[in-house]
Amino acid sequence: MKQKILFLLLCIFLLLPAQTVAREISLKVTKKYLNLPVSHRIERAMMTFEADGKIERRFDIRLASDEIDYWVFCDMSALKNKMLKISYNGDAKGLEKISQSDEIAGQDSLYKEKNRPQLHFTSRRGWHNDPNGLIYYDGEYHLFYQHNPYERDWGNMHWGHAVSKDLIHWQELPLALYPDEHGTVFSGTTVIDYNNTAGFNRGNTPAMIAVYTSDSPEKQVQCIAYSLDKGRTWTKYAGNPVIDSKEKWDTKDTRDPKVFWYDPNGKWIMVLNERDGHSFYTSDNLKEWTFESHLTGFWECPDLFELPVDGDRNNTRWVIYGASGTYMTGDFDGKSFTPQAGKYYYTTGAFYAAQTIENMPDTDHRRIQIAWGRITHPAMPFNSLMLLPTELTLRNTKDGLRLFASPVKEIEEIQTLLFEKKRLSIEDAGELLRPFADDDCLRVQFSIKLSHATDAGFNLYGQQLLKYDMNFNQVNGVFYSPQDMTSMIITADIIIDKTSVEVFIDGGAYSYSMMRKAQIGNNEGFRFWGNRIEIRNLKVYSMRSIWEK
């Protein structure tokens, strides 16, 4: 009888799902990284790291139990030589595949992967979207960003972190901000608190302070954290959240704080997207905030900044926008924004959630913007990219004040002129470009003069990089009217990467971005088209990878 019972128990045990057998492992942290296998055939499940009886982190992951799509990693430097308990409420077989190493899995091919952009920042692993906390400090440009380090799809929002000395070459650093009891970490800003208004400074070291949204299923609140080592490590404020406005607005949508110091009234300003537009708050110390006003008509990711008109610093206007990049110009008095013109667009395409860099050097008065490029990278262990940094200027045009965007001058550091030709037929221009159609990275600049055509353009393997329709005043299907209303010439600056294309029209009056499509059933390479058009001032540059040392 006992044997039958034991046999029945064994059968029941064997029929149980694999994840019920064992759901945790323990190990001593001896290396810098834990490498974790990911499979998109597996549903997400919760993983928890526990050390010294304290939960260190908790996140969702598709932990591969059999076939592995790619590997992600966790930087365990802070837990070196400690015992770590890893628990997982999914298929426990994947726990056996977790390994320790002083390199991330795939280090030997890092930045050389088939679909890795070579001119644009991408994270080593995982998903990223909105740029956050863009700031210059002590010789470094800081790029924080929305990041899921555990999968190439959205989720588990942290702040990733990268730095650059020239806006072109980026070094990815360890994660900056992790989810906590208030929720995952959504978008926000960083500032340098030179006057120690928040009381976090140490000696002569001013605090870098992050102001960000924490997102939970119930609501979104605004929190702060500070760093005293140039953003390498962070301490969250014990009094978080500093703003909880769900009750005021009767909505969860209260997020993406943009914060800056406003000299005229000696206060911090926060522009916060709430429900149907942007709200304005003021503070003396970044901890206590006063609601001042609200401007309707925008969605997500606000920015607000002052620009000189035509470079005249004695004549300025304020610019405000939301995530789509549509903007208004007007006045700002420290409490409210008064629109004077807009809303306009200056860019379209893959662009979203742009932010401008704060605290630029005293000798550099540029307003530089970085946007999230919503471009996918099939079969890669990462997803999305940051579009190239652009300089924003405000100029008088026939239509009034308009925002222009052009690639930052630093990009010239990685380009080499291949050739420059003037006054070409489309056939001759096509022949000159033919050898470069399959190059990973290229910059092509030209002017097209129309005479017998109402439209003309430029393709790459059939993909329409530029179509100018003079009759309907459109560039790639979007309304565009040149500064000279009778002009028969349009100029384009086209920057081509492995997976993306960015196009700047007439010195940045309009720009757009798109995914670079693979060659499919078309072997024509580069091709200008249009009836008896002339190609003027054709310049072609090769572009070096930003990952080359």
Side-chain angles (χ1 to χ4, degrees), residues 36-223:
L36 295 84
V38 173
S39 169
H40 284 262
R41 289 166 290 280
I42 301 292
E43 293 298 319
R44 288 175 173 169
M46 182 69 70
M47 179 170 283
T48 303
F49 289 178
E50 187 176 335
D52 295 333
K54 173 183 158 187
I55 292 177
E56 291 290 338
R57 67 187 76 173
R58 179 177 283 145
F59 53 90
D60 290 325
I61 187 170
R62 303 177 191 271
L63 190 66
S65 55
D66 293 308
E67 189 175 344
I68 298 169
D69 289 334
Y70 55 90
W71 293 80
V72 296
F73 64 90
C74 297
D75 189 327
M76 307 305 295
S77 301
L79 298 178
K80 192 79 175 282
N81 296 320
K82 290 190 175 184
M83 289 301 300
L84 180 70
K85 183 169 80 172
I86 304 174
S87 57
Y88 183 60
N89 65 1
D91 188 338
K93 286 193 298 183
L95 292 173
E96 302 169 1
K97 300 180 184 294
I98 295 174
S99 63
Q100 296 193 64
S101 176
D102 285 324
E103 291 188 341
I104 69 171
Q107 181 72 39
D108 56 344
S109 61
L110 186 61
Y111 302 126
K112 303 176 217 172
E113 301 96 332
K114 178 182 177 182
N115 287 323
R116 172 76 70 174
Q118 296 299 297
L119 306 179
H120 297 76
F121 174 80
T122 49
S123 56
R124 288 172 288 179
R125 295 289 182 266
W127 162 277
H128 79 69
N129 52 293
D130 306 1
N132 300 150
L134 301 184
I135 198 164
Y136 178 86
Y137 179 61
D138 197 18
E140 292 180 322
Y141 296 96
H142 291 262
L143 166 63
F144 300 93
Y145 50 92
Q146 293 286 277
H147 186 38
N148 180 1
Y150 308 113
E151 189 184 320
R152 65 186 177 215
D153 293 335
W154 187 93
N156 295 309
M157 285 296 100
H158 296 61
W159 269 23
H161 187 195
V163 293
S164 173
K165 295 190 180 298
D166 62 2
L167 287 168
I168 301 299
H169 301 87
W170 295 94
Q171 176 191 359
E172 187 175 340
L173 298 179
L175 294 169
L177 296 177
Y178 291 79
D180 59 21
E181 68 274 15
H182 299 295
T184 55
V185 188
F186 273 24
S187 292
T189 311
T190 58
V191 297
I192 307 299
D193 189 11
Y194 290 106
N195 298 322
N196 198 26
T197 62
F200 297 139
N201 294 8
R202 181 182 300 158
N204 295 323
T205 303
M208 180 184 287
I209 299 179
V211 188
Y212 61 93
T213 298
S214 285
D215 174 77
S216 69
E218 295 76 31
K219 59 184 176 180
Q220 293 172 340
V221 296
Q222 317 317 313
C223 298

Side-chain angles (χ1 to χ4, degrees), residues 271 273 276-278 295-305 318-330 337 339 341-356 369 371 374 392 394 401-405 478 509-511:
V271 191
N273 187 255
D276 56 4
H278 295 341
L295 177 72
T296 57
F298 287 108
W299 177 249
E300 294 189 321
C301 304
D303 205 345
L304 174 66
F305 47 87
W318 286 82
V319 178
I320 190 168
Y321 62 65
S324 69
T326 56
Y327 67 97
M328 298 178 188
T329 57
F337 180 86
K343 294 189 294 187
Y344 306 123
Y345 60 83
Y346 62 100
T347 189
T348 61
F351 174 105
Y352 199 72
Q355 194 175 107
T356 58
Q369 180 186 75
R374 295 178 293 178
L392 301 181
L394 199 57
L401 285 179
R402 292 294 188 271
L403 203 56
F404 282 60
V478 176
Y510 170 55
S511 59

Side-chain angles (χ1 to χ4, degrees), residues 203-490:
N204 295 323
T205 303
M208 180 184 287
I209 299 179
V211 188
Y212 61 93
T213 298
S214 285
D215 174 77
S216 69
E218 295 76 31
K219 59 184 176 180
Q220 293 172 340
V221 296
Q222 317 317 313
C223 298
I224 62 175
Y226 66 94
S227 171
L228 296 169
D229 58 2
K230 300 201 294 185
R232 271 59 176 181
T233 59
W234 292 84
T235 302
K236 292 181 178 176
Y237 174 48
N240 282 335
V242 296
I243 296 178
D244 182 349
S245 54
K246 179 181 179 181
E247 186 173 340
K248 173 181 175 62
W249 292 100
D250 189 29
T251 180
K252 179 183 173 178
D253 296 316
T254 60
R255 60 178 173 270
D256 310 334
K258 172 68 177 186
V259 177
F260 61 93
W261 179 258
Y262 186 67
D263 267 330
N265 67 6
K267 289 184 180 291
W268 294 103
I269 306 298
M270 178 191 292
V271 191
L272 183 65
N273 187 255
E274 297 187 300
R275 195 176 64 189
D276 56 4
H278 295 341
S279 294
F280 300 88
Y281 290 79
T282 59
S283 175
D284 294 320
N285 57 14
L286 294 166
K287 299 173 180 176
E288 295 148 340
W289 292 89
T290 300
F291 172 81
E292 301 290 358
S293 64
H294 186 70
L295 177 72
T296 57
F298 287 108
W299 177 249
E300 294 189 321
C301 304
D303 205 345
L304 174 66
F305 47 87
E306 193 175 15
L307 280 179
V309 177
D310 294 326
D312 182 0
R313 292 194 180 88
N314 295 314
N315 178 22
T316 63
R317 294 290 187 279
W318 286 82
V319 178
I320 190 168
Y321 62 65
S324 69
T326 56
Y327 67 97
M328 298 178 188
T329 57
D331 288 330
F332 179 67
D333 63 4
K335 292 187 176 182
S336 61
F337 180 86
T338 303
Q340 293 176 338
K343 294 189 294 187
Y344 306 123
Y345 60 83
Y346 62 100
T347 189
T348 61
F351 174 105
Y352 199 72
Q355 194 175 107
T356 58
I357 300 174
E358 294 295 336
N359 200 51
M360 290 290 286
D362 291 338
T363 55
D364 191 342
H365 300 285
R366 293 179 297 170
R367 178 61 62 167
I368 294 173
Q369 180 186 75
I370 298 177
W372 167 35
R374 295 178 293 178
I375 290 171
T376 58
H377 298 86
M380 291 291 99
F382 59 90
N383 213 345
S384 293
L385 53 75
M386 292 298 173
L387 294 176
L388 292 171
T390 54
E391 180 181 356
L392 301 181
T393 53
L394 199 57
R395 306 182 197 177
N396 274 305
T397 72
K398 66 178 174 56
D399 299 313
L401 285 179
R402 292 294 188 271
L403 203 56
F404 282 60
S406 54
V408 292
K409 60 187 178 184
E410 286 85 350
I411 197 171
E412 296 170 9
E413 298 173 12
I414 59 171
Q415 69 184 32
T416 301
L417 181 66
L418 294 173
F419 66 83
E420 178 178 4
K421 299 289 183 180
K422 299 180 184 296
R423 298 185 178 277
L424 297 165
S425 68
I426 58 175
E427 292 80 13
D428 289 343
E431 280 301 312
L432 286 169
L433 283 167
R434 186 182 302 279
F436 308 106
D438 295 320
D439 284 15
D440 287 338
C441 305
L442 212 62
R443 187 175 192 176
V444 183
Q445 298 173 325
F446 57 82
S447 299
I448 294 179
K449 183 178 186 300
L450 292 77
S451 57
H452 293 69
T454 58
D455 61 357
F458 183 56
N459 293 355
L460 175 57
Y461 286 118
Q463 183 179 6
Q464 186 174 278
L465 305 188
L466 169 67
K467 178 184 179 182
Y468 177 44
D469 188 328
M470 184 187 65
N471 187 26
F472 288 92
N473 277 24
Q474 291 182 342
V475 170
N476 276 31
V478 176
F479 179 82
Y480 176 73
S481 177
Q483 177 69 9
D484 179 352
M485 291 175 283
T486 63
S487 173
M488 301 296 288
I489 297 175
I490 189 168

